């Protein structure tokens, strides 16, 4: 397993746990216990039951006929958009709420960008009757209004992050500060494969159910477990990590990671981390990071709030460095067109994050007999306002 | 046994010469104006401060509360960089002899280049470093040798949640002093110290550590300073000092006036 985390919490040269001492006891407790708890049969039983009966898993692996015809190969959509709450994010929050309870934690905090992770966290907190605080950048609160109200409907408190760029990175800073201030009874549910070890590995494991299902679903449909390509968008990288997980060591399966190009990688308004970033340290891990020569983190930009993050998870930085995954960047315009296109072709309006993955299909060199799985990480309900503003449909 | 390094370091010298009421002040370099650094250091030293922590501003200071966040943002907007900082405090040793510590997050230091950073820090006469997000094991493996070569003491933080075992490990691997974070909190001025905090100070105090301790985070005025000094060799004031600088007053007057309120 050359792409999974090593004993010290690193993926090659990336990862680690670069945290202030005030967070050390919490992160260390988690590091010592997460694997043992996840292996407990009582944990697995409840996790699998909730994924099935509450989230609605397995999610379908759907052969998109008309899209396949248009692109010219066989395209399957892994329908994470059909999960309860509308995205893959809930796979992780179900896992982490159960883990938090095993650790005896009474309160939950989370950060959110698009609001999908915030909603998924608020949902599992309601399910378990646990107090929930979600930090969200002030700018994201404005552009993802329906999700803010959903979190409130579910009983969560939404606190605007007013510092820095007022988006996902700052919401993450605020959540970390909250955790420093409340170290004993609180668990921090990070929403992607970012943060200090063991978060990237823990979140990837909870999301790995995506590729676990793809394997047997593809076996049923195609008589083989391996597609030629797995395509996923990368914000922090959790849906991609889940879709890649059981294929990472199988080099026959090509992994395609799609980053948000924003208005173009040279425009100064982009979130394409692997193209614009270099190794650096943010939010507890060493990873690829968009930054000034002086080491200040640069404000990213994408039309999609869920991809608007200046880093990527350390696993993805490693996949990039080792050239195990192909990194592609897609502009706002390309993503919006692909999102609108899928509505018309397949009757599925995707999240704008997922639309980036769909747009990548047009940039790949595909053969007629290729089998491609696109991870449709979420549905577009939360993005209606952005689609409407965009027009062109 | 004291090594040559220890004897020459101004931090060790301070703790040998002064047994209590050590006043340390933190400020963010580049705030309120980009070129104020040198004036602030000199004024603090003249006002009788014992130790100064010069903050390297960072865009994402996760261990800091609103005051230091805001001063860091202003400093960055002012165009402050690590390179500028080294230029500003070049030759500072001609006018200031108290220990100087650089405090900052790891990324700007790594981007500057670790060897170059250590060279410059030594050249301008820095005595120690506080890097809150540098993990101890990584420090031991990859940083300690270089810091030691350049006479730089790495100062570690401990918090009320830090286990006794880990405090002992930190004590073993550090030289200079231990930075006791006063409560489970990010930086920020607080008006009082609770009995729970005092219990924690006592607990650490009774451990018989080889290094002296200074208490920081939440120390804001004479009352909290003196309470902290009852349990440690001294204390560190950060946010409360920075708030003084925000006032639209002549820097020297406000700095000298503030330090007087703590010391007198
Ligand atoms: C639908 C959807 N897809 C993708 C992402 C990006 O996150 P990640 O890269 O962790 O999957 C988000 C984040 O909010 C999202 O809501």
């Amino acid at each position: 397993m050359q792409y999974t985390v090593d004993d010290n919490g690193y993926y090659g040269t990336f990862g680690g746990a670069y945290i202030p001492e005030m967070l050390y006891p919490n992160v260390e407790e988690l590091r010592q216990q997460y694997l043992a708890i996840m292996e407990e049969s009582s944990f697995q039983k409840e996790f699998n039951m909730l994924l099935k009966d509450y989230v609605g898993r397995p999610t379908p692996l759907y052969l998109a006929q008309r899209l396949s015809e248009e692109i010219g190969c066989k395209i399957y959509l892994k329908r994470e958009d059909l999960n309860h709450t509308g995205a893959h994010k809930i796979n992780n929050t179900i896992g982490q709420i159960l883990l938090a309870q095993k650790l005896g934690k009474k309160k939950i905090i989370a950060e959110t960008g698009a609001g999908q992770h915030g909603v998924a966290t608020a949902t599992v907190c309601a399910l378990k009757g646990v107090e929930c605080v979600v930090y969200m950048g002030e700018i994201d609160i404005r552009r993802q209004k329906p999700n803010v109200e959903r979190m409130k409907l579910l009983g969560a408190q939404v606190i605007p992050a007013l510092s820095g760029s007022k988006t996902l990175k700052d919401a993450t800073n605020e959540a970390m500060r909250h955790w420093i201030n409340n170290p004993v009874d609180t668990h921090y549910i990070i929403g992607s494969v970012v943060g200090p070890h063991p978060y990237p590995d823990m979140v990837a494991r909870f999301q790995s159910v995506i590729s676990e299902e793809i394997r047997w679903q593809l076996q049923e449909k195609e008589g083989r477990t391996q597609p030629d390509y797995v395509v996923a968008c990368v914000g922090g990288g959790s849906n991609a990590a889940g879709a890649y997980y059981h294929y990472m060591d199988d080099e026959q399966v090509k992994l395609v990671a799609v980053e948000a190009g924003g208005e173009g990688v040279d425009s100064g308004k982009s979130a394409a981390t692997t193209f614009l970033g270099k190794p650096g340290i943010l939010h507890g891990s060493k990873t690829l990071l968009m930054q000034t020569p002086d080491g200040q983190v640069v404000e990213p930009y994408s039309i999609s709030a869920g991809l608007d993050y200046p880093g990527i998870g350390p696993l993805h930085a490693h996949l990039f460095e080792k050239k195990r995954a192909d990194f592609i960047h897609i502009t706002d315009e390309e993503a919006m067109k692909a999102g609108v296109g899928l509505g018309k072709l397949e009757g599925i309006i995707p999240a704008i994050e997922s639309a980036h993955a769909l747009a990548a299909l047009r940039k790949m060199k595909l053969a007629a007999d290729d089998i491609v799985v696109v991870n449709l990480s979420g549905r577009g309900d939360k993005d209606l306002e952005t689609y409407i503003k965009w027009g062109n449909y | 046994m004291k090594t040559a390094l220890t004897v020459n370091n101004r931090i060790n010298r301070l703790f040998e010469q002064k047994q209590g009421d050590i006043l340390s002040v933190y400020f963010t370099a580049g705030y309120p104006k980009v070129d104020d650094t040198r004036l602030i250091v000199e004024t603090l030293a003249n006002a009788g401060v014992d130790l100064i922590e010069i903050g390297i501003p960072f865009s994402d200071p996760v261990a800091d509360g609103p005051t230091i966040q805001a001063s860091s943002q202003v400093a960055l907007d002012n165009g402050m960089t690590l390179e500028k900082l080294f230029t500003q405090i070049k030759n500072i040793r001609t006018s200031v002899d108290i220990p100087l510590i650089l405090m900052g997050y790891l990324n700007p230091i790594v981007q500057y280049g670790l060897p170059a950073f250590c060279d410059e820090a030594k050249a301008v006469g820095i005595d120690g470093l506080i890097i809150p997000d540098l993990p101890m094991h990584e420090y031991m493996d990859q940083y300690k040798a270089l810091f030691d070569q350049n006479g730089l003491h790495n100062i570690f933080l401990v918090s009320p949640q830090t286990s006794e075992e880990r405090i002992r490990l930190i004590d073993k691997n550090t030289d200079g002093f231990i930075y006791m974070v006063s409560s489970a909190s990010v930086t920020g001025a607080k008006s009082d110290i609770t009995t729970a905090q005092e219990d924690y100070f006592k607990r650490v105090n009774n451990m018989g550590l080889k290094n002296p301790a200074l208490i920081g985070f939440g120390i804001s005025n004479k009352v909290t300073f003196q309470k902290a000094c009852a349990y440690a060799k001294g204390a560190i004031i950060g946010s409360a000092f920075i708030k003084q600088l925000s006032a639209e007053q002549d820097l020297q007057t406000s700095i000298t006036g503030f330090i007087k309120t703590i010391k007198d």
Side-chain angles (χ1 to χ4, degrees):
Chain A
M1 297 291 276
Q2 62 168 311
Y3 298 107
T4 43
V5 78
D6 69 21
D7 291 343
N8 298 317
Y10 282 82
Y11 299 87
T13 58
F14 299 108
Y18 296 83
I19 44 167
E21 188 62 33
M22 294 80 89
L23 286 179
Y24 180 84
N26 283 339
V27 172
E28 180 61 11
E29 176 186 39
L30 204 57
R31 187 187 72 79
Q32 284 181 5
Q33 299 203 40
Y34 81 112
L35 290 176
I37 291 175
M38 287 172 71
E39 278 162 19
E40 280 175 21
S41 63
S42 63
F43 178 93
Q44 290 192 356
K45 213 170 135 197
E46 192 172 5
F47 182 59
N48 291 330
M49 181 276 286
L50 287 173
L51 286 187
K52 179 164 173 280
D53 296 342
Y54 187 73
V55 175
R57 302 203 73 92
T59 58
L61 185 68
Y62 163 68
L63 176 60
Q65 288 280 6
R66 298 186 64 209
L67 179 65
S68 297
E69 275 164 34
E70 188 163 303
I71 300 289
C73 70
K74 224 170 188 179
I75 294 165
Y76 283 93
L77 301 179
K78 179 58 175 163
R79 298 290 307 275
E80 292 300 301
D81 61 316
L82 293 178
N83 282 322
H84 179 42
T85 70
H88 67 293
K89 296 284 180 186
I90 197 162
N91 302 327
N92 169 45
T93 60
I94 292 272
Q96 285 204 49
I97 192 79
L98 297 180
L99 202 127
Q101 293 201 308
K102 294 263 184 193
L103 291 171
K105 305 290 179 181
K106 305 280 181 249
K107 295 177 184 168
I108 294 295
I109 53 168
E111 85 296 336
T112 197
Q116 284 307 110
H117 173 60
V119 167
T121 305
T123 299
V124 299
C125 287
L127 175 70
K128 291 292 182 185
V130 177
E131 203 179 305
C132 178
V133 172
V134 179
Y135 287 91
M136 187 169 187
E138 198 186 28
I139 289 176
D140 292 337
I141 286 182
R142 267 185 263 137
R143 61 178 165 176
Q144 304 279 303
K145 245 188 237 131
N147 272 346
V148 176
E149 297 310 317
R150 283 167 84 196
M151 287 186 266
K152 290 183 183 167
L153 263 167
L154 293 160
Q157 186 190 357
V158 181
I159 302 183
L162 304 171
S163 57
S165 57
K166 304 181 177 65
T167 61
L168 180 54
K169 129 183 130 66
D170 308 282
T172 308
N173 290 338
E174 291 301 336
M176 288 188 153
R177 289 177 188 127
H178 181 120
W179 211 18
I180 289 173
N181 291 337
N182 300 274
V184 179
D185 59 352
T186 302
H187 174 70
Y188 176 18
I189 301 190
I190 295 184
S192 193
V193 286
V194 301
H197 177 67
Y199 277 101
D201 184 50
M202 179 172 72
V203 176
R205 284 169 188 265
F206 286 138
Q207 292 292 357
S208 69
V209 64
I210 299 172
S211 49
E212 195 181 304
E213 289 173 4
I214 296 173
R215 283 173 62 91
W216 63 256
Q217 289 171 322
L218 207 60
Q219 177 69 36
E220 276 182 12
K221 292 180 200 302
E222 296 286 343
R224 57 191 251 202
T225 57
Q226 311 161 299
D228 295 292
Y229 295 90
V230 179
V231 184
C233 67
V234 174
S238 67
N239 88 86
Y244 300 163
Y245 198 87
H246 292 283
Y247 296 116
M248 282 192 301
D249 288 320
D250 184 349
E251 309 259 350
Q252 276 173 292
V253 180
K254 295 180 205 89
L255 308 178
V256 179
V258 186
E259 294 184 300
E263 293 183 1
V265 286
D266 301 320
S267 68
K269 293 186 78 181
S270 177
T273 303
T274 59
F275 293 87
L276 298 170
K278 52 188 183 117
I281 293 141
L282 180 69
H283 296 150
S285 69
K286 187 183 281 179
T287 188
L288 291 171
L289 190 62
M290 290 168 57
Q291 54 185 312
T292 65
D294 192 43
Q296 309 300 337
V297 180
V298 164
E299 317 286 335
Y301 164 80
S302 165
I303 194 167
S304 130
L307 303 182
D308 202 351
Y309 185 70
I312 50 172
L315 161 65
H316 296 288
H318 184 52
L319 294 175
F320 176 75
E321 192 179 66
K322 292 288 167 204
K323 298 190 164 52
R324 173 65 187 96
D326 229 346
F327 282 72
I328 293 181
H329 48 90
I330 290 295
T331 63
D332 288 355
E333 183 164 341
E334 291 164 333
M336 294 307 288
K337 275 189 188 153
V340 169
L342 192 74
K344 301 234 159 100
L345 275 176
E346 298 287 349
I348 300 169
I349 301 169
I352 297 170
E353 290 81 7
S354 322
H356 283 72
L358 292 162
L361 292 170
R362 293 174 200 279
K363 301 219 154 166
M364 295 163 57
K365 286 194 188 72
L366 296 164
D369 61 349
D370 278 338
I371 294 178
V372 180
V373 174
V374 178
N375 197 36
L376 203 73
S377 56
R379 68 177 86 124
D381 304 28
K382 70 180 174 65
D383 296 316
L384 266 189
E385 206 175 302
T386 312
Y387 276 120
I388 293 165
K389 239 196 241 152
W390 174 258
N392 302 333
Y393 49 83
Chain B
M1 273 280 288
K2 301 265 179 218
T3 61
L5 161 69
T6 304
V7 172
N8 289 331
N9 190 288
R10 292 179 195 84
I11 299 171
N12 302 106
R13 216 168 61 199
L14 169 65
F15 284 98
E16 274 159 28
Q17 288 167 356
K18 196 164 174 181
Q19 302 307 314
D21 292 336
I22 289 175
L23 173 60
S24 176
V25 170
Y26 167 94
F27 74 98
T28 308
Y31 177 86
K33 298 272 170 6
V34 69
D35 285 324
D36 287 335
T37 313
R38 197 179 178 109
L39 180 65
I40 293 173
V41 171
E42 288 174 348
T43 310
L44 282 170
N46 289 335
V49 161
D50 297 301
L51 191 161
I52 299 172
E53 294 170 21
I54 305 172
I56 305 164
F58 181 47
S59 54
D60 295 84
V62 290
D64 287 301
T67 304
I68 294 179
Q69 283 172 41
S71 64
S72 302
Q73 193 55 55
V74 171
L76 294 175
D77 293 345
N78 286 343
M80 192 62 196
T81 65
L82 198 41
E83 203 173 327
K84 273 193 188 145
L85 174 58
F86 282 130
T87 312
Q88 291 167 353
I89 56 175
K90 202 173 178 166
N91 304 323
I92 191 83
R93 286 310 179 190
T94 57
S95 56
V96 173
D97 195 41
I98 61 172
L100 297 176
I101 289 176
L102 292 183
M103 178 163 186
Y105 293 84
L106 189 52
N107 197 49
I109 295 172
V110 167
Q111 302 310 323
Y112 192 88
L114 195 64
F117 173 80
C118 291
D119 282 352
E120 284 296 325
K122 182 186 179 179
V124 299
I126 296 298
D127 304 288
L129 304 170
I130 303 174
I131 308 172
D133 56 346
L134 174 60
M136 184 163 48
H137 64 89
E138 187 133 336
Y139 160 72
M140 296 301 290
D141 289 351
Q142 297 173 33
Y143 291 74
K144 188 173 189 309
L146 198 56
F147 286 4
D148 285 350
Q149 273 171 34
N150 291 284
L152 300 166
H153 285 343
N154 192 55
I155 309 299
F156 286 100
L157 274 51
V158 306
S159 86
Q161 271 66 46
T162 311
S163 69
E164 174 164 345
E165 186 190 359
R166 190 163 167 86
I167 293 176
R168 293 207 184 278
L169 187 66
I170 286 169
D171 187 44
K172 190 175 147 211
N173 290 322
T174 200
D175 190 3
F177 66 94
I178 287 177
Y179 193 130
M180 271 174 79
V181 175
S182 71
S183 66
S185 172
V186 294
T187 57
K190 293 197 178 63
S191 55
D192 203 3
I193 284 179
T194 63
T195 48
Q197 283 174 280
E198 291 188 61
D199 290 344
Y200 149 65
F201 300 158
K202 279 182 211 161
R203 174 166 62 83
V204 177
N205 214 4
N206 289 337
M207 283 177 65
L209 302 177
K210 80 170 176 60
N211 287 288
L214 295 181
I215 295 174
F217 285 36
I219 310 301
S220 61
N221 52 24
K222 185 164 181 146
V223 174
T224 45
F225 177 71
Q226 287 190 331
K227 270 198 184 179
C229 286
Y231 301 103
K233 297 285 184 207
I236 303 149
I237 299 179
S239 298
F241 176 70
I242 288 169
K243 280 187 187 158
Q244 293 303 308
L245 301 181
S246 340
E248 289 292 318
Q249 224 201 90
D250 165 63
L251 268 186
Q252 274 164 299
T253 313
S254 52
I255 293 172
T256 311
F258 179 75
I259 299 304
K260 226 170 141 66
T261 66
I262 308 293
K263 288 179 73 86
D264 289 355

